[in-house]
Amino acid sequence: MDATIFTFLNMGALLGWTFVLFLLLSQLSAIQSFLPLTIQQLTLPFFDTPIFDATTSSPDDRLPIINLLLFLEGICFIEVGRIAIGQLKGNLVLGVILHLIRMSCLLIVLPAGLTSPSDTKVMISTLVLYSWALTEVGRYPMYLFPLSAMARYVRLVLPIVTFPVGAFAEAVGAYWHLKQLLLVGAEDDATRSSFHWVQVGLLVMVVGINSLLGPTMAYPALLKKGLPVLLGKKDKSKSTRKKKD
């Protein structure tokens, strides 16, 4: 495919994630009071849906913001595919796991969490969305401006903060929903369908990876890349190459 197409995809993804971040900020009471009534009326429907019920809700009952995020995740999967065929640099295994976790949260955890009567569950789900939106808004400029030192700085440093917050919130949200699914399954054998156990398996994966592999493997790898940039240390391998040249 032509590079121009991927440039437009990256631009669209950046605009999409920026819009998601704006939607999240627009729900804060401190910011809402400064927004014109028209903008408030346009942003509220993205978080407006009937209370989610896993036994009766259909895909049409999803929050509009979830549908928007599913579209943006589709672009992310295109990037994973490009890594798989060698068009982009990146860790393929990490990319597949990361976006599988996101899809599990989007389809199982967040629809229930964002519409829960519990303020704590809503807060945890909102933290997940903030971590994703900030990470992606900080990531795409480096694709669009690969020679920009500032874009590279933000790309490598921002996940040092957003990753642990997002991984923790994803794990907590997945654990709460997993516990609910297991309780429902214990009370009603009819719910023990194959789909029920697929959800259980995906949630166990999210909790396990975020609790065990995230702090021990993924986060140290992020720190290894981001801390030298944050502290202003030069990449020794690059400087060595330049000397050789």
Side-chain angles (χ1 to χ4, degrees):
M1 292 177 70
D2 190 83
T4 307
I5 295 175
F6 295 120
T7 300
F8 277 111
L9 275 177
N10 290 335
M11 290 175 61
L14 177 58
L15 289 173
W17 284 108
T18 303
F19 182 58
V20 170
L21 184 58
F22 169 74
L23 288 174
L24 291 169
L25 291 172
S26 72
Q27 303 308 300
L28 297 174
S29 55
I31 292 179
Q32 238 178 20
S33 58
F34 292 99
L35 292 175
L37 182 61
T38 304
I39 294 180
Q40 292 182 38
Q41 291 173 339
L42 289 173
T43 57
L44 283 174
F46 281 88
F47 299 89
D48 185 21
T49 194
I51 296 297
F52 184 84
D53 182 350
T55 61
T56 61
S57 293
S58 67
D60 293 336
D61 294 325
R62 281 196 301 260
L63 289 165
I65 194 168
I66 296 292
N67 290 326
L68 172 59
L69 289 165
L70 286 170
F71 172 77
L72 294 173
E73 271 300 292
I75 297 177
C76 291
F77 273 105
I78 292 174
E79 294 165 13
V80 172
R82 293 183 68 196
I83 292 173
I85 62 176
Q87 285 188 353
L88 279 179
K89 291 182 180 179
N91 188 320
L92 178 61
V93 175
L94 181 62
V96 170
I97 292 174
L98 170 67
H99 293 293
L100 186 58
I101 287 173
R102 281 195 183 179
M103 289 299 292
S104 300
C105 290
L106 279 172
L107 295 174
I108 304 172
V109 179
L110 295 180
L114 288 170
T115 57
S116 172
S118 166
D119 290 339
T120 305
K121 290 184 177 181
V122 172
M123 181 190 71
I124 287 293
S125 297
T126 304
L127 276 178
V128 171
L129 295 185
Y130 268 112
S131 71
W132 293 358
L134 286 169
T135 299
E136 299 302 331
V137 168
R139 181 169 73 94
Y140 279 102
M142 197 174 83
Y143 286 154
L144 294 168
F145 310 103
L147 299 180
S148 169
M150 178 58 71
R152 182 176 183 274
Y153 181 90
V154 173
R155 167 70 182 91
L156 295 176
V157 170
L158 193 58
I160 294 176
V161 178
T162 59
F163 178 84
V165 173
F168 171 77
E170 287 167 0
V172 171
Y175 172 75
W176 283 339
H177 201 79
L178 175 63
K179 189 166 65 171
Q180 181 182 347
L181 281 178
L182 292 175
L183 287 174
V184 170
E187 293 171 359
D188 185 2
D189 290 337
T191 63
R192 297 196 177 201
S193 62
S194 57
F195 178 67
H196 173 86
W197 290 111
V198 167
Q199 291 184 81
V200 169
L202 290 171
L203 294 177
V204 168
M205 175 200 68
V206 174
V207 174
I209 290 176
N210 286 27
S211 302
L212 300 175
L213 299 183
T216 59
M217 294 179 66
Y219 194 56
L222 286 175
L223 289 176
K224 186 177 179 180
K225 288 183 177 181
L227 276 182
V229 177
L230 180 64
L231 299 175
K233 295 180 180 179
K234 293 183 179 179
D235 191 330
K236 292 182 179 179
S237 62
K238 286 186 178 179
S239 60
T240 303
R241 284 193 217 106
K242 286 181 180 178
K243 287 180 182 180
K244 287 181 180 180
D245 294 340

